[in-house]
Amino acid sequence: MSKTFRPWDVDQVWLLPPSVQDLVPSGHVAHFVRDTVRTGLDLSRIMDVYDEARGFPPYHPGMMVALLLYAYSQGIYSSRKIARGCEERLDFAAVTGMQRPDFRTISEFRRRHLAALSGLFRQVLALCREAGLVKLGHVALDGTKIKANAGINKAMSYGRMKAAEPGLAAEVQRWLAQAAQTDKVEDRQIGASRRGDEMPEWMANKEKRLEKIRTAKAALEYEAKAKAASKPDDDGSGDGGKSQPGRKSRPVTAGPSDKAQRNFTDPDSRVMPTKNGFIQGYNAQAAVDGDHQIIVAHTLTNSPSDQAQLAPLLDAIKANLGKNPDEASADAGYCSQANLRTLIRRRIKGYVATGRQKHGTKAATTKRKLKSGTLIARMSTKLKRAGYRSRYRLRKQIVEPVFGQIKQARGFRQFLLRSIDKVKAEWAMICIAHNLAKLAAAR
């Protein structure tokens, strides 16, 4: 007797249309994100933009917001891949109600409402707080370098700009003279009814590159003049702004150094050092609550240094949640006299490494000499005295796994947008998606 199988009839027509609730299991995160956007978020900043009654009805803004946030929570960021998901994946269909916006619509919606979308971070954080996921007992701060939407080979140093500009300008002038002579010959050969003065493509490209070099060169010079005109900041190495023994402060000049670089594709991005080499990118910052790894504040900068980001992160925590955390930990990149004074002034128990800690050791080691009695020396003593019991040990298990989830589990390793303002908003959306995923997992 042969085995009986369940019928497999791909041509079978459904008598009744399916419900989106039946496409995926009832506890699926797609339902959670969709319902959270529908009932838990205030989308008035986006909805109020649509004040024109005429024209073909657009997709509902709430559906588009839910689609973007769900796609980001699933590690899908490209508008083309999101549109493909609307066509091929049942979980996406459950979010959109089986609607299929194309990639241009998705991309344009994100571009048009980028600021409002990033502003949803505070609302999602409030939902996490209501669910009991945010305690502000111990908050860990850290930054991670993320690639920009620009190649490092598209960057040029100021020294190379100065060397390349005269030669390129002379070459363009020679080609212009050659083109003028060619025009006369072509006028005689082609006749008056046709144009013979079109600029060759090879010459236009050279002129465009010369224009980019001059624009980037002027921007670097402007930044250097502005830096020279402003008062030098305290380097934070000693009390009262005193520098470390034996260290000479660098003179501030009105001109950029020859090593200063500018990228032609995304001028706001910078060359960033990482453990795997150098990248063209940005420095994304996050403050993470210790209880459930909820991101409670975020910033982004094009400076590779973390030191200037401690105060902005603490400001953002206070603005988002109305209070300071009880404790804060950070690695040696944030260590400075000014930052330690900030923690004391805000009555936050600080645990900031004063140097790099090797595996298997009880305390961080530092090459610089610490002046006795300074805040940095006292912090070093505090961490050494506690040893393995120091609260600083919590930092690695709080904030570093969050970057691992974002970059490894959800595959976000490069920004899609260009310019620092747009990239800041994109980082905010990444943080929103992370918090939504944590909120969904805690149901």
Side-chain angles (χ1 to χ4, degrees), residues 111 114 147-151 154 212 263-269 282 300 414-426:
R111 183 201 64 79
L114 192 58
K147 290 182 180 179
N149 188 2
K154 295 296 182 181
K212 284 186 175 182
N263 190 279
F264 297 142
T265 305
D266 184 358
D268 290 340
S269 64
Y282 290 94
L300 183 136
Q414 181 172 350
F415 290 106
L416 298 178
L417 305 180
R418 293 169 181 166
S419 83
I420 192 167
D421 290 335
K422 293 181 180 179
V423 170
K424 282 182 179 178
E426 188 175 4

Side-chain angles (χ1 to χ4, degrees), residues 141-290:
L141 285 61
D142 203 359
T144 184
K145 310 299 192 299
I146 300 179
K147 290 182 180 179
N149 188 2
I152 195 170
N153 60 330
K154 295 296 182 181
M156 181 179 284
S157 67
Y158 184 73
R160 285 184 59 199
M161 290 179 192
K162 290 193 298 184
E165 183 184 8
L168 195 56
E171 189 175 0
V172 170
Q173 289 300 320
R174 287 197 303 271
W175 286 344
L176 287 173
Q178 179 184 347
Q181 182 63 30
T182 303
D183 287 345
K184 296 179 180 179
V185 176
E186 289 179 346
D187 285 343
R188 292 194 298 267
Q189 294 176 348
I190 299 175
S193 61
R194 295 182 59 191
R195 290 180 59 188
D197 61 346
E198 291 83 1
M199 183 180 290
E201 179 65 23
W202 48 269
M203 188 172 69
N205 289 339
K206 289 289 184 181
E207 279 199 319
K208 188 175 181 180
R209 181 167 180 79
L210 178 60
E211 181 183 355
K212 284 186 175 182
I213 288 177
R214 286 174 173 169
T215 301
K217 187 166 169 277
L220 287 172
E221 291 170 350
Y222 175 81
E223 289 178 359
K225 288 180 181 179
K227 185 176 181 180
S230 63
K231 184 178 179 181
D233 295 328
D234 178 16
D235 64 4
S237 55
D239 283 329
K242 296 180 181 179
S243 60
Q244 296 181 27
R247 174 181 292 184
K248 295 182 180 180
S249 59
R250 296 179 180 178
V252 180
T253 61
S257 69
D258 287 345
K259 293 183 179 181
Q261 291 191 345
R262 181 59 58 113
N263 190 279
F264 297 142
T265 305
D266 184 358
D268 290 340
S269 64
R270 296 291 184 270
V271 176
M272 301 274 176
T274 69
K275 63 180 181 180
N276 297 320
F278 291 90
I279 64 169
Q280 188 76 31
Y282 290 94
N283 186 358
Q285 300 277 318
V288 181
D289 186 80

